[in-house]
Amino acid sequence: MKIIAESSSTRTDWSLVDGDTIVEHAFTTGLNPYFQSRREISHSIRLELPEAFFRRRWEHVYFYGAGCANQEKCKIMESSLVAQFKTPVTVESDLLGAARGLLVRKSGLACILGTGSNSCLYNGSEIVKTVAPLGFILGDEGSGAYMGKMMIADMLKGIAPRELTHAFFEKFAVTPNVLLDDVYTNSLPSRTLSRYSSFLAENLSDPYCYQLVYRAFMSFFERNVAAYDYTDQPISFVGSTCVQYKPILLKAANDFGVTVEKVIRYSMPGLVEYHATED
């Protein structure tokens, strides 16, 4: 039996699997070695994961996570997981997890649109090309954090409609100063920005909100997907943001000339299938 985990900056999806059967399933908060220490990660795993996951030593732990993009950060995550499970561990990027979850062993373009965003060309086993996502400050186009950043900036600069801005501050019970503090002093700012972006989903009938989401997706296509030979590859999406705004995503894709094959919320079913057939 194996443990397979897939983590965004917001939430971690855990499955204890026997072959292609999920025996136990749980969610915990997101784990990201860029923003959390080894001790904080271990603490979260031990306190939030059900006892069934610690019942005995398992065959292997496969962890796919945001922030696990270089050896140093992967080592932090690996050390935390080994300390908790006393089991061999493999740590990979959330992007590879998304590709395997979306495409399993098919080749194609795999994209994440959740709290953050990312994309890659996948050959059925490994990533062969990617475009640097650059995070919510320099990139992450089309993500919840990107949309939240653009919306908040527009509201604080007086660009967004006045009635909409008033409704936002009333809903979240914040002032401009409190909002700035919440963004700039929070240890997980992308998660904070993504949470505020939920206001857009609740107000899509307002042209401003609709256009902001549409432009965010078009930016994702123009600044990421355009780097690939997307006309000859199927393109699939995974994440909370692509599901939440699926009709707008599909319109932007059509306008850009992209054919979307799949839009799903979670990578886990595909990851279970991938690892069930890896031998």
Side-chain angles (χ1 to χ4, degrees):
M1 292 176 66
K2 308 167 185 175
I3 291 176
I4 302 173
E6 186 273 325
S7 184
S8 68
S9 294
T10 303
R11 180 161 66 171
T12 306
D13 188 351
W14 299 84
S15 288
L16 179 59
V17 301
D18 186 2
D20 60 358
T21 302
I22 296 178
V23 178
E24 297 281 348
H25 186 239
F27 290 103
T28 65
T29 54
L31 303 173
N32 191 322
Y34 266 95
F35 300 113
Q36 295 161 291
S37 67
R38 172 184 167 181
R39 178 175 295 182
E40 289 171 329
I41 292 169
S42 295
H43 187 75
S44 177
I45 293 171
R46 189 73 230 187
L47 290 184
E48 296 182 37
L49 210 52
E51 195 58 36
F53 283 83
F54 305 100
R55 197 172 289 143
R56 63 180 176 86
R57 291 188 180 183
W58 311 109
E59 178 186 339
H60 208 100
V61 175
Y62 296 96
F63 185 92
Y64 298 90
C68 299
N70 62 57
Q71 189 173 1
E72 178 189 354
K73 299 305 179 185
C74 285
K75 270 294 182 185
I76 293 172
M77 186 61 68
E78 183 180 340
S79 298
S80 299
L81 292 165
V82 169
Q84 294 306 309
F85 297 109
K86 309 295 191 294
T87 295
V89 171
T90 298
V91 176
E92 302 280 8
S93 70
D94 60 338
L95 185 56
L96 182 58
R100 289 177 174 174
L102 283 164
L103 302 170
V104 189
R105 297 194 178 277
K106 291 169 52 182
S107 62
L109 291 174
C111 304
I112 298 173
L113 288 176
T115 300
S117 69
N118 211 338
S119 63
C120 72
L121 176 61
Y122 174 71
N123 68 2
S125 177
E126 302 294 336
I127 292 170
V128 294
K129 182 179 180 180
T130 187
V131 175
L134 300 182
F136 72 97
I137 295 176
L138 298 176
D140 270 356
E141 298 87 359
S143 71
Y146 178 88
M147 293 178 191
K149 179 181 72 171
M150 300 305 293
M151 177 190 68
I152 289 171
D154 282 357
M155 288 180 173
L156 294 179
K157 287 178 178 288
I159 296 171
R162 184 177 302 175
E163 297 80 7
L164 203 65
T165 301
H166 177 75
F168 172 86
F169 283 112
E170 190 172 72
K171 173 182 171 58
F172 289 102
V174 292
T175 64
N177 286 338
V178 169
L179 184 59
L180 284 171
D181 285 343
D182 199 15
V183 172
Y184 282 103
T185 65
N186 196 296
S187 61
L188 294 168
S190 61
R191 190 184 298 178
T192 300
L193 290 167
S194 186
R195 177 172 61 86
Y196 282 126
S197 76
S198 64
F199 183 78
L200 294 167
E202 298 167 3
N203 294 276
L204 286 177
S205 59
D206 188 293
Y208 167 84
C209 294
Y210 184 95
Q211 284 299 315
L212 191 151
V213 174
Y214 175 82
R215 289 197 306 271
F217 287 144
M218 288 301 290
S219 292
F220 178 79
F221 289 122
E222 292 165 356
R223 297 174 65 82
N224 297 276
V225 176
Y228 307 99
D229 186 9
Y230 59 87
T231 57
D232 293 329
Q233 295 284 351
I235 184 167
S236 297
F237 294 87
V238 63
S240 56
T241 302
C242 62
V243 171
Q244 188 170 38
Y245 302 107
K246 182 177 177 180
I248 305 177
L249 172 65
L250 295 179
K251 174 172 172 45
N254 183 67
D255 291 348
F256 190 74
V258 171
T259 300
V260 177
E261 184 174 81
K262 187 185 297 185
V263 179
I264 59 174
R265 175 67 181 84
Y266 301 115
S267 299
M268 187 56 70
L271 286 173
V272 171
E273 181 182 351
Y274 179 89
H275 286 289
T277 60
E278 65 183 340
D279 297 328

